[in-house]
Amino acid sequence: MKNNAPKDRSIGTKSKPLTAYSLETQTEAAIDLLKRLIATPSLSREEDRTAALIEQFFRQRSIPYKRTKNNVWTHNRFFDPAKPTLLLNSHHDTVKPNASWTLDPFQPIEREGKLYGLGSNDAGGCLVSLIATFCHFYDKKDLAYNIVMAATAEEEISGREGLEMILPELPPIDFAIVGEPTQMHLAIAEKGLLVLDCTAKGKSGHAARDEGDNAIYYAIKDIAWLTSNPFPKVSPTLGPVKLSVTIINAGSQHNVVPDTCTFTVDVRATEQYTLEEIIETIRKNIRSTVQPRSIRLKPSSIPLDHPIVQAGMALNRETYGSPTTSDQALLDCPSLKCGPGHSERSHTADEFIYLREIEQGIELYIRMLEQIL
């Protein structure tokens, strides 16, 4: 899915440079882990083997960790409960490969500076870059923040046994970086998702006579109201709330006036309204009954003046609002969506990430965090 990220820009030059050796070592370890993740199928709800690979990665570095279902998480060596905590998070599940793949989706292939494989771009490159960043800071003393690294499951299906499951186990989170492919630009806001199942009721009758009460006509009136811009407040980063009627069903045969018409509304919410406010407003203004499928996937944002955003902007990163959802929607703290790779490659045949994007991702993550840690 596209996320309207800005075009790529070079890294700023104001920050203290990393040593070439340390960055090279971190990048090599990250790419090796990514290749093993690609070679291990990890469809949503089937991530047990990639979770085991991540466990192995931490064990080899003598980093204690915890695992709940297929979620693996750990924190920095000198964790101090008195300090605020930063969460680094990305997911290791993937969608199913589509039929258009010309390569083996589970065979990591390096070619012309690219690494091909299912999940390489979404979000394997982000995950291994964040893990490398966590390892860079793991045993440093006197950090201003604690760091929690969480590699989680079921993101691609918005499942309940991913990040949402382990949040109660984590320490209180003050802010988070969620790894999704943004070309390392800064998605400082993300739309929430609300799916509404609506039902208009009428009365059945014979179409040849003046009888019955056509439910379709009631649904049409309700849909007309939904498309009349009922939420006027506009987000400076995400624009207006977007409502789309995506499914409609009614009737059983041509000569029967239908007594029921159902339709589904896809709502992309902004931080200007809570999901509860949107539901309440719709219920007050349409005749149809309205049933939300979930109110879990909330809009999210982080202030432009937040130190992590300012740190990214100092490195020539641009800010923007993302219309697509991620595990960011499950967090109640300020959160930034940022990672190597390009959203337009996600869920596509012959998915890939440039190897240089992983190196740049690790470098930028570290440089951003150095300014606040």
Side-chain angles (χ1 to χ4, degrees), residues 174-188:
D174 290 85
F175 77 96
I177 297 176
V178 176
E180 290 286 340
T182 69
Q183 298 174 283
M184 290 304 296
H185 290 297
L186 314 174
I188 59 172

Side-chain angles (χ1 to χ4, degrees), residues 175-214:
F175 77 96
I177 297 176
V178 176
E180 290 286 340
T182 69
Q183 298 174 283
M184 290 304 296
H185 290 297
L186 314 174
I188 59 172
E190 176 185 273
K191 284 189 174 181
L193 173 62
L194 184 62
V195 180
L196 304 176
D197 291 314
C198 305
T199 303
K201 299 294 289 186
K203 182 180 178 181
S204 62
H206 198 295
R209 294 189 290 270
D210 188 17
E211 62 183 33
D213 201 4
N214 198 320

Side-chain angles (χ1 to χ4, degrees), residues 45-285:
R45 297 199 177 103
E46 300 174 13
E47 312 96 337
D48 54 308
R49 290 196 292 158
T50 47
L53 287 175
I54 295 164
E55 287 183 293
Q56 181 187 54
F57 184 92
F58 288 135
R59 277 199 308 272
Q60 289 173 342
R61 288 155 180 79
S62 300
I63 298 176
Y65 61 87
K66 294 184 179 181
R67 176 172 173 175
T68 301
K69 290 292 183 77
N70 294 327
N71 306 290
V72 182
W73 63 276
T74 181
H75 60 68
N76 59 302
R77 181 179 177 186
F78 297 102
F79 183 92
D80 181 353
K83 293 180 178 180
T85 298
L86 157 67
L87 171 66
L88 305 179
N89 167 248
S90 192
H91 63 95
H92 58 103
D93 64 315
T94 71
V95 296
K96 295 180 180 179
N98 64 54
S100 299
W101 274 79
T102 64
L103 305 171
D104 181 347
F106 303 111
Q107 178 65 43
I109 298 173
E110 274 192 52
R111 184 182 298 166
E112 297 178 344
K114 301 175 183 178
L115 177 60
Y116 290 88
L118 184 65
S120 56
N121 181 78
D122 183 16
C126 302
L127 176 63
V128 299
S129 297
L130 283 172
I131 289 175
T133 301
F134 171 81
C135 290
H136 176 82
F137 290 104
Y138 169 71
D139 59 1
K140 295 186 182 299
K141 295 182 178 181
D142 301 321
L143 296 176
Y145 285 80
N146 300 310
I147 307 177
V148 171
M149 175 69 226
T152 50
E154 296 194 5
E155 190 274 346
E156 294 290 3
I157 58 170
S158 300
R160 293 182 180 272
E161 295 189 347
L163 177 61
E164 185 176 29
M165 170 174 276
I166 65 167
L167 282 175
E169 300 181 50
L170 304 181
I173 304 300
D174 290 85
F175 77 96
I177 297 176
V178 176
E180 290 286 340
T182 69
Q183 298 174 283
M184 290 304 296
H185 290 297
L186 314 174
I188 59 172
E190 176 185 273
K191 284 189 174 181
L193 173 62
L194 184 62
V195 180
L196 304 176
D197 291 314
C198 305
T199 303
K201 299 294 289 186
K203 182 180 178 181
S204 62
H206 198 295
R209 294 189 290 270
D210 188 17
E211 62 183 33
D213 201 4
N214 198 320
I216 292 177
Y217 299 159
Y218 292 125
I220 289 172
K221 291 179 181 178
D222 288 346
I223 291 170
W225 182 86
L226 289 167
T227 57
S228 67
N229 190 32
F231 299 98
K233 289 190 288 186
V234 176
S235 165
T237 51
L238 297 171
V241 174
K242 186 176 186 301
L243 295 86
S244 302
V245 177
T246 53
I247 303 171
I248 187 166
N249 286 293
S252 57
Q253 57 192 63
H254 76 89
N255 57 352
V256 177
V257 173
D259 62 356
T260 302
C261 180
T262 62
F263 57 97
T264 300
V265 186
D266 179 293
V267 183
R268 303 293 167 151
T270 75
E271 80 287 356
Q272 298 295 308
Y273 300 90
T274 67
L275 299 186
E276 291 83 358
E277 286 174 332
I278 291 173
I279 295 168
E280 182 182 4
T281 300
I282 291 175
R283 281 176 171 164
K284 285 181 177 179
N285 285 279

